[in-house]
Amino acid sequence: MNLVRQIRKAAVLGSGVMGSGIAAHLANIGIPTYIFDIVPRELSEDEKKQGLSLEDKAVRNRLSRTSIQNLLKQKPAPLTSKSNLALIEAGNFEDDIEKLGSVDWIIEVVVENLHVKKEIFAKVDQYRKQGSIISSNTSGISVEAMAKGRSSDFQRNFLGTHFFNPPRYLKLLEIIPTKMTDPEVILFMKQFGEDVLGKGVVEAKDTPNFIANRIGTYGLLVTVQEMLKEGLSIGEVDSITGPMIGRPKSATFRTLDVVGLDTFAHVARNVYEQVAGKEKEVFQIPDFVNNMVEREWLGSKSGQGFYLKKGKEILELNPKTLEYIPRKKLKTPSTEMSKQAKGFSNKMKALVYADDRAGQLLWKIITPVLTYSAALLGEIADDIVAIDQAMKWGFGWTHGPFETWDAIGLEKSVTKLEQEGVHVPEWIKEMLRNGFTHFYKENEQGEMLYFHHGEYKLVIENPKVIDLKKMKKQKGVIKKNSGAALIDIGDDVALLEFTSPNNAIGLDIIQMINYSIEEVEANYKGLVIGNQGKNFCVGANIALMLMEAQDDNIFELDMVITQFQKAMLKIKYSSKPVVAAPFNMALGGGAEVCLPAARIQASSETYMGLVEAGVGLIPGGGGAKELYYKTLTSLPKGVEVDLQKVVNKVFEMVATAKVSSSGEEARENNFLNLVDGISVNPDHLIYDAKQVVLALHDQGYRAPVKEKIPVVGESGYATLLLGAESMRLTGYLSEHDMVIAKKLAFVLAGGKVPFGTEVDEQYLLNLEKEAFLSLISMTKSQQRMQHMLLKGKPLSN
């Protein structure tokens, strides 16, 4: 590989939702990016009022400038930090085209029209520098056709790069080379896509809609057609085509509403126009869907689609009458059996082989996708792994088509399909005749093998992907209990994995933290605290704490909080470096575990906050103290510190239970400081954290020296209360919020001491524990805890 090649600057051609989303993603990872669009041919009303002309730069860059500004309004947010907006520069195709000569990657995201794209690429070819990469974000137009007529250097450096929308959140990046694309460019873009863009990269063939949209659209249309045949409702279908079968909560029709019916129809028509026979029939859009598009009932973007929200009620569309009716759900014996079954395979078998309405529908919509995927192997992708990964990363399936086929049983399903007269691709039948009954299997080392041309081959993964399940098989578990496990992850680094439900912190995890630090101090270079669950940690075990509080077991709670605080100090003052690796939700106790670590290596999508106020409490494990200390120590040395300003910021953060919307925002909120890292690719998080441990060890890591902490004392406490009172008067805080705020203010201020007094950590921890125990004894706090357990959201009482 040409390691000299780098992408320092980029240009996005086309400023629509997708173009601006790609530009935002590039800015999120620190790449300065131009975004170009056409020059408007007439003035807007606002421009006329300002007295502008068509020659003014503000007018000529209006389209790209507006799309950049809209990035701040979009939800979900395309930017990980508002400050990243400064890295995106607006331009237009007429005045700024020469700037293409300064960029390393040019991404075309204009209208899906081959003629328009070829015109744009002719201009690009004139102004780009030799060796720069050019790609198209097309979702289905032939990449080969776009490159025709271009210079040889253009063709060698040209390929398709199909992002999925929204680019910040959806993992899949399909790379589509042409016959002329330089293999070194393909290799570079795969590595760049994974390591820098943080994507799951799949190489696709230059066929209609590539991999994910081809199979995903087919599956959605099969589902719509079967629904109409069976006389089921939209709500009934969605109730059994979501998490129950390993698909997102949005299931079928909610997914279509989110995607937009106009977008979906465009993708479907693209395949329809390029295929024949039975496949063409499937890609024919049902009349009622065409009718919806004509009426502009396009889904979320237009306010109504397959669903319509009226007040608090969500109504579903009746496809026959196009009227909205109350939402229905499908409940059958097989859906209930599936809920009781353990593991994906048993759940799926309980459903697809059942002779009830749910079972019959699922068999008819799942098996066509499996046989279709098998029939397309070689045409859309070289191997089954690429197809499975594309569907998982692009459509949010937990299992790809071939993994799903393994789950329902290959032999049993093929027998049933053939009995029904369904055509099963010959290579599948030959595979079974030769005694291969699974697409995937594990070897003794826990590595995954896949079936390919008559043999099993090793699934090749990026070396930065550390699979903890595989690690446990290869190296075993050092020690485990009901809530956590200590694992050897190689190179003399250990990892503490939380395994309790929702990774909630209880005494079992506290015990394992203590054991892990002792074991690492004796035998390892350092410790990573991380896991590969749904979330890093959603906090302490509220149910257990509530039970103890309702039984007036304050002594027991005192003991638990004391143990938790001691464990956090063990993390902080460990003689070996401890690196926390949070991702997704790291809330309450989850944030408290991270704050005292020597370093935090967060995922780009880390939602971190001390949210205890939402359940009527304040942090009890040292979180408030540690956030205050981290904020203080993040300030430049030698600069006069305004203690009141610092404590005000921390107070507001904790009192309002503010949660970061990204790893970058967690840094802005001082949960991370400048030496802490952020991993863009979540699959590389454990690897990155491990490298930080090794680097700290090699630098001769020493535990921090215990320091006294300056506090604002009584006068600062009074200032904090004034701020809280103004929040209460404006309706932002309820009466009980005010009670919590007073307790928190007392802790952060350092109690009844003069301003600027330096106190030790244990003093602040004692204040924190006292406040926590007094709050948990209160009826209103217990009501909040109960409400969170029952409803999953905070109660304002």
Side-chain angles (χ1 to χ4, degrees):
M1 176 178 289
N2 177 10
L3 295 174
V4 176
R5 188 187 283 275
Q6 285 185 321
I7 292 174
R8 297 181 188 87
K9 198 177 234 186
V12 175
L13 312 181
S15 70
V17 171
M18 196 69 200
S20 60
I22 292 170
H25 189 64
L26 292 170
N28 288 339
I29 56 176
I31 297 176
T33 303
Y34 294 117
I35 187 163
F36 293 170
D37 214 313
I38 58 172
V39 174
R41 296 290 169 242
E42 54 186 49
L43 294 170
S44 68
E45 288 303 315
D46 190 46
E47 287 163 346
K48 286 176 186 172
K49 284 175 190 171
Q50 291 179 54
L52 297 173
S53 76
L54 287 171
E55 296 309 309
D56 284 305
K57 192 73 174 170
V59 175
R60 294 176 73 78
N61 284 348
R62 184 214 307 152
L63 296 177
S64 50
R65 192 168 42 82
T66 303
S67 80
I68 292 169
Q69 289 163 352
N70 286 342
L71 290 171
L72 296 172
K73 302 172 191 171
Q74 287 173 29
K75 288 187 179 178
L79 295 163
T80 55
S81 167
K82 290 176 183 177
S83 63
N84 295 340
L85 206 66
L87 288 170
I88 308 173
E89 187 178 329
N92 67 71
F93 289 125
E94 292 177 25
D95 305 328
D96 304 295
I97 197 78
E98 288 181 10
K99 290 177 180 175
L100 295 181
S102 67
V103 306
D104 307 298
W105 183 20
I106 300 160
I107 311 143
E108 170 273 311
V109 201
V110 301
V111 64
E112 286 287 82
N113 177 297
L114 180 60
H115 177 70
V116 173
K117 288 179 188 288
K118 283 180 76 76
E119 277 192 339
I120 292 280
F121 286 133
K123 270 189 171 184
V124 168
D125 209 356
Q126 280 181 281
Y127 292 99
R128 61 175 282 271
K129 66 181 177 186
Q130 294 281 295
S132 62
I133 292 170
I134 323 99
S135 69
S136 172
N137 186 64
T138 180
S139 57
I141 290 176
S142 169
V143 182
E144 294 277 355
M146 287 184 224
K148 274 186 185 168
R150 301 278 55 82
S151 67
S152 59
D153 187 77
F154 181 106
Q155 290 183 334
R156 280 198 305 275
N157 289 283
F158 179 71
L159 70 168
T161 51
H162 182 215
F163 287 83
F164 273 62
N165 195 28
R168 171 182 163 185
Y169 300 96
L170 283 188
K171 187 174 176 180
L172 181 60
L173 174 64
E174 291 175 321
I175 283 183
I176 311 99
T178 72
K179 294 186 187 78
M180 292 289 293
T181 310
D182 187 332
E184 182 269 321
V185 171
I186 302 168
L187 198 58
F188 171 80
M189 285 306 289
K190 279 183 179 174
Q191 188 173 327
F192 178 80
E194 289 176 7
D195 293 352
V196 183
L197 295 175
K199 297 296 175 189
V201 180
V202 169
E203 188 176 335
K205 307 267 189 176
D206 190 13
T207 54
N209 290 77
F210 314 127
I211 302 173
N213 275 343
R214 179 82 169 265
I215 292 171
T217 306
Y218 180 90
L220 289 164
L221 282 165
V222 164
T223 304
V224 175
Q225 288 155 9
E226 285 299 330
M227 175 194 74
L228 295 172
K229 276 185 208 168
E230 299 299 319
L232 288 162
S233 85
I234 280 163
E236 285 175 324
V237 170
D238 268 3
S239 69
I240 61 167
T241 58
M244 196 176 283
I245 61 167
R247 306 282 170 83
K249 281 183 185 175
S250 53
T252 301
F253 294 98
R254 179 78 187 109
T255 295
L256 290 170
D257 272 355
V258 171
V259 168
L261 266 69
D262 50 347
T263 303
F264 171 70
H266 169 79
V267 172
R269 285 191 199 104
N270 189 50
V271 183
Y272 178 81
E273 287 162 9
Q274 298 181 66
V275 296
K278 285 188 176 177
E279 187 179 4
K280 196 177 189 77
E281 287 173 27
V282 173
F283 281 96
Q284 185 157 11
I285 300 164
D287 289 340
F288 88 96
V289 176
N290 281 325
N291 201 331
M292 289 172 71
V293 174
E294 284 168 20
R295 295 180 183 210
E296 295 192 349
W297 295 359
L298 305 177
S300 304
K301 66 173 92 172
S302 64
Q304 70 184 98
F306 291 108
Y307 292 101
L308 174 68
K309 191 171 183 183
K310 274 201 170 176
K312 289 189 176 179
E313 191 183 9
I314 296 172
L315 304 173
E316 64 172 75
L317 186 74
N318 180 328
K320 289 179 182 173
T321 64
L322 291 188
E323 293 172 342
Y324 288 96
I325 57 173
R327 194 163 45 160
K328 298 178 197 168
K329 287 187 178 180
L330 187 60
K331 196 174 178 182
T332 69
S334 68
T335 60
E336 295 310 298
M337 275 179 63
S338 171
K339 286 174 189 172
Q340 305 307 317
K342 291 275 183 346
F344 182 70
S345 180
N346 291 327
K347 287 177 184 292
M348 290 299 288
K349 284 171 183 171
L351 289 165
V352 297
Y353 295 116
D355 190 22
D356 60 24
R357 290 182 84 201
Q360 288 165 2
L361 177 75
L362 289 172
W363 175 262
K364 287 175 185 173
I365 66 175
I366 288 171
T367 54
V369 174
L370 306 185
T371 54
Y372 186 63
S373 301
L376 289 175
L377 184 67
E379 182 187 332
I380 63 171
D382 285 328
D383 56 56
I384 64 171
V385 178
I387 292 174
D388 278 347
Q389 288 176 335
M391 297 318 299
K392 290 190 288 186
W393 295 340
F395 275 73
W397 296 7
T398 60
H399 295 73
F402 296 99
E403 291 169 326
T404 301
W405 213 336
D406 272 348
I408 68 170
L410 183 58
E411 287 177 286
K412 184 178 179 180
S413 61
V414 167
T415 302
K416 186 178 177 187
L417 286 166
E418 291 195 302
Q419 285 169 354
E420 293 173 348
V422 174
H423 172 71
V424 176
E426 186 56 38
W427 73 269
I428 300 279
K429 292 190 275 190
E430 186 184 342
M431 176 184 169
L432 288 170
R433 282 196 297 271
N434 292 332
F436 298 102
T437 56
H438 293 86
F439 293 109
Y440 294 93
K441 69 173 188 178
E442 271 188 21
N443 63 16
E444 288 177 2
Q445 289 76 43
E447 295 169 320
M448 192 60 70
L449 308 172
Y450 69 100
F451 181 80
H452 188 70
H453 296 315
E455 61 177 337
Y456 285 106
K457 297 181 78 173
L458 191 66
V459 175
I460 304 298
E461 285 185 323
N462 189 310
K464 293 182 180 178
V465 175
I466 292 178
D467 185 329
L468 294 182
K469 283 182 187 171
K470 196 190 293 182
M471 277 289 168
K472 288 178 198 174
K473 284 197 173 182
Q474 289 173 350
K475 293 184 169 285
V477 174
I478 302 165
K479 186 172 181 175
K480 68 175 181 178
N481 64 17
S482 57
L486 186 64
I487 310 160
D488 186 330
I489 57 171
D491 300 317
D492 294 326
V493 178
L495 178 135
L496 175 61
E497 176 191 33
F498 297 168
T499 57
S500 62
N502 292 319
N503 294 340
I505 297 169
L507 275 172
D508 45 9
I509 285 180
I510 294 170
Q511 286 164 2
M512 278 299 295
I513 290 171
N514 290 326
Y515 172 82
S516 299
I517 300 295
E518 287 164 15
E519 176 65 19
V520 165
E521 285 185 323
N523 299 308
Y524 289 85
K525 290 180 177 177
L527 177 71
V528 173
I529 301 178
N531 63 75
Q532 289 171 336
K534 186 181 174 187
N535 294 298
F536 174 74
C537 175
V538 295
N541 191 325
I542 300 175
L544 284 176
M545 289 198 303
L546 177 61
M547 204 162 57
E548 297 289 359
Q550 288 174 332
D551 288 346
D552 283 331
N553 261 340
I554 299 303
F555 176 78
E556 185 75 21
L557 284 166
D558 188 317
M559 186 270 291
V560 173
I561 296 300
T562 300
Q563 291 300 316
F564 187 37
Q565 289 183 349
K566 284 180 177 176
M568 296 306 97
L569 291 176
K570 258 197 158 173
I571 289 172
K572 184 171 184 177
Y573 295 108
S574 164
S575 64
K576 299 288 178 71
V578 177
V579 176
F583 61 94
N584 293 356
M585 290 188 193
L587 304 176
E592 287 186 291
V593 166
C594 297
L595 284 166
R599 292 285 188 279
I600 298 174
Q601 182 67 33
S603 169
S604 186
E605 299 305 323
T606 297
Y607 314 121
M608 188 179 276
L610 294 168
V611 296
E612 286 83 355
V615 288
L617 304 170
I618 71 160
K625 174 266 298 181
E626 205 60 56
L627 183 60
Y628 173 62
Y629 182 72
K630 195 155 189 169
T631 306
L632 265 182
T633 53
S634 69
L635 297 168
K637 287 193 175 169
V639 174
E640 193 176 333
V641 176
D642 185 337
L643 278 185
Q644 191 66 54
K645 223 173 186 177
V646 172
V647 81
N648 288 353
K649 184 178 178 181
V650 176
F651 173 75
E652 187 182 340
M653 197 81 60
V654 183
T656 60
K658 185 173 172 61
V659 176
S660 70
S661 61
S662 66
E664 276 299 336
E665 197 173 289
R667 196 193 302 280
E668 289 166 8
N669 294 348
N670 290 114
F671 284 89
L672 276 63
N673 57 29
L674 289 175
V675 295
D676 294 323
I678 295 173
S679 298
V680 181
N681 192 324
D683 293 341
H684 299 178
L685 179 60
I686 301 291
Y687 171 88
D688 292 342
K690 178 182 167 183
Q691 299 313 303
V692 176
V693 166
L694 292 170
L696 288 170
H697 174 271
D698 292 348
Q699 290 159 15
Y701 179 79
R702 290 187 181 183
V705 176
K706 292 185 179 182
E707 293 180 317
K708 292 204 167 187
I709 303 167
V711 294
V712 292
E714 283 189 281
S715 61
Y717 171 61
T719 305
L720 289 175
L721 288 190
L722 276 174
E725 184 60 29
S726 68
M727 288 168 81
R728 188 186 71 79
L729 291 171
T730 54
Y732 195 85
L733 296 180
S734 69
E735 273 187 44
H736 193 57
D737 287 328
M738 196 63 193
V739 172
I740 299 162
K742 282 179 179 177
K743 298 277 185 187
L744 175 65
F746 192 76
V747 171
L748 285 171
K752 295 181 177 181
V753 295
F755 185 95
T757 301
E758 293 191 342
V759 299
D760 61 34
E761 281 183 288
Q762 194 55 54
Y763 169 79
L764 289 175
L765 286 172
N766 290 342
L767 289 180
E768 207 169 292
K769 183 170 66 172
E770 286 165 25
F772 181 92
L773 292 173
S774 72
L775 284 167
I776 203 169
S777 306
M778 295 178 186
T779 303
K780 285 194 172 182
S781 286
Q782 291 175 15
Q783 286 170 350
R784 287 192 179 194
M785 293 168 78
Q786 195 147 9
H787 191 270
M788 179 61 77
L789 287 168
L790 293 172
K791 305 283 185 183
K793 54 186 178 184
L795 169 70
S796 182
N797 60 349

